């Protein structure tokens, strides 16, 4: 029993232990690089990164395979189940992305009535942005004209920049810089946002290495969230 207790204690307190982390695509693009750089020194955990872009309801199940899961959900959607621990990471507004040649590109502001006749790029059913588009449709009192269904923001950005279609995109983790052909505009009469959280099994936070990665990730978000990240 004593040997077993010592082995468990060494496992929990090992600062160099391997930590497996999964994230949806835009979060991985934004945070994995800075996180790996921050954990490159001696005495840091060994980080193994995975990209897992799944439907909103499927994120909690990923905690069975990964120590940490960066997940997202619409701000007013149901909270994560009590079977997982959820650590808030950032609240991110959702804006409308459009070509800089779009008729609304130079408008000082946009509202739902400006957008209801537009062509839309949506995501596949079950993914977190679908309820946000549904909220726009409810607010407008009519369904939206969804012409494309694309999960990857890089591909969605290419479609938006090339033609008349518009799309919802996160403000900080999927933004193209000046010269990309895309502009972002908030919807004045229907503020939309998503919550980005860290999900894990409750016992995972007993490990020193996991705690180190969580605190480093939270620090990474503090430094990157105010900046608008490059989409591709």
């Amino acid at each position: 029993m004593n040997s077993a207790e010592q082995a468990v204690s060494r496992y929990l307190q090992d600062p160099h232990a391997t930590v497996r982390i999964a994230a949806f695509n835009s979060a991985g693009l934004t945070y994995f690089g800075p996180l790996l750089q921050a954990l490159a020194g001696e005495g840091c955990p060994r980080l193994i990164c995975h990209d897992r872009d799944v439907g909103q309801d499927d994120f909690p199940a990923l905690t069975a395979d990964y120590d940490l899961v960066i997940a997202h959900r619409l701000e007013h959607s149901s909270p994560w189940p009590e079977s997982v621990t959820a650590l808030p990471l950032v609240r991110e507004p959702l804006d409308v992305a459009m070509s800089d040649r779009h008729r609304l590109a130079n408008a000082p502001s946009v509202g739902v009535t400006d957008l209801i006749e537009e062509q839309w790029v949506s995501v596949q059913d079950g993914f977190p942005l679908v309820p946000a588009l549904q909220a726009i449709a409810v607010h407008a009192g009519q369904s939206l004209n969804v012409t494309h269904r694309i999960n990857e923001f890089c591909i969605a950005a290419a479609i938006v920049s090339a033609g008349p279609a518009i799309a919802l995109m996160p403000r900080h983790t999927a933004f193209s810089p000046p010269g990309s052909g895309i502009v972002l505009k908030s919807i004045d009469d229907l503020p939309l946002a998503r919550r980005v959280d860290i999900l894990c099994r409750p016992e995972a936070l007993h490990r020193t290495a996991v705690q180190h990665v969580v605190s480093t990730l939270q620090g990474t978000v503090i430094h990157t969230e105010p900046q608008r990240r490059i989409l591709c």
Side-chain angles (χ1 to χ4, degrees), residues 192-208:
L192 297 170
R194 69 176 178 179
R195 293 283 181 178
V196 180
D197 302 312
I198 306 171
L199 306 185
C200 64
R201 303 180 304 277
E203 66 273 14
L205 292 177
H206 296 161
R207 296 177 55 199
T208 297

Side-chain angles (χ1 to χ4, degrees), residues 72-89:
H72 60 146
R73 63 178 181 84
L74 265 291
E75 185 169 41
H76 299 297
S77 63
S78 300
W80 301 112
E82 295 183 358
S83 58
V84 299
T85 296
L87 306 174
L89 199 57

